């Protein structure tokens, strides 16, 4: 008993749909694999970019530290009077360290140091 031509055509269409679904499933797997490899490649690129950025940041920190140390050495060379430090500590009610630093930054000039603390 053979089926009608319509049944044969319908059967062929069903077979074609099944094979298309299988190939679509296969293509989906390939697409997923490609996504994974793309992700892995992006991670490698990001890692190298990160290493470069870290190097730049490290160099900037070293430069800033060197500048800060040089500034501290220059400030240490400035001579200040003990009476000026005492005056600032008692009148402005600040720590001795802050008073000394402010005086050094203003090259021992008490008036400029006091003005900078009040502004």
């Amino acid at each position: 008993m053979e089926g009608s031509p319509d049944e044969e055509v319908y059967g062929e269409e069903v077979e074609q749909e099944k094979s298309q679904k299988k190939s679509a499933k296969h293509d989906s797997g390939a697409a997923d694999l490609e996504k994974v490899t793309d992700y892995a490649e992006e991670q490698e690129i990001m890692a190298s970019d990160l290493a470069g950025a870290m190097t730049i940041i490290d160099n900037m920190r070293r430069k800033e530290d060197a500048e800060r140390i040089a500034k501290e050495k220059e400030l240490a060379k400035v001579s200040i009077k003990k009476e000026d430090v005492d005056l600032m500590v008692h009148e402005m009610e600040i720590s001795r360290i802050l008073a000394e630093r402010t005086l050094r930054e203003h090259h021992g000039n008490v008036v400029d140091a006091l003005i900078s603390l009040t502004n």
Side-chain angles (χ1 to χ4, degrees):
M1 250 175 120
E2 284 195 30
S4 68
D6 288 336
E7 288 177 359
E8 287 178 19
V9 170
Y10 177 73
E12 288 176 16
E13 288 177 3
V14 170
E15 288 299 319
Q16 285 178 351
E17 285 180 22
K18 285 182 182 178
S19 68
Q20 285 177 352
K21 285 181 183 178
K22 285 182 182 178
S23 67
K25 200 177 225 184
H26 177 70
D27 290 344
S28 172
D32 289 342
L33 181 61
E34 188 158 327
K35 287 179 187 175
V36 170
T37 56
D38 287 348
Y39 177 76
E41 289 170 359
E42 288 175 10
Q43 293 302 316
E44 290 173 7
I45 291 171
M46 289 173 53
S48 66
D49 289 347
L50 181 61
M54 291 298 289
T55 302
I56 291 170
I57 291 170
D58 189 41
N59 289 341
M60 289 175 58
R61 280 192 186 148
R62 286 183 183 161
K63 182 180 176 185
E64 289 171 356
D65 287 346
E67 290 172 355
R68 183 181 45 79
I69 291 170
K71 182 178 179 182
E72 291 296 326
K73 285 181 180 178
E74 287 298 315
L75 289 177
K77 292 178 183 177
V78 175
S79 64
I80 54 174
K81 296 179 185 171
K82 183 179 182 308
E83 302 85 38
D84 294 342
V85 174
D86 291 338
L87 172 74
M88 290 180 67
V89 168
H90 294 295
E91 293 300 319
M92 300 299 291
E93 296 180 358
I94 59 174
S95 69
R96 180 166 293 282
I97 294 171
L98 179 60
E100 288 177 3
R101 178 159 182 91
T102 306
L103 271 171
R104 290 182 193 281
E105 287 174 349
H106 292 89
H107 305 289
N109 187 330
V110 179
V111 176
D112 289 344
L114 289 171
I115 290 172
S116 74
L117 289 172
T118 57
N119 288 339

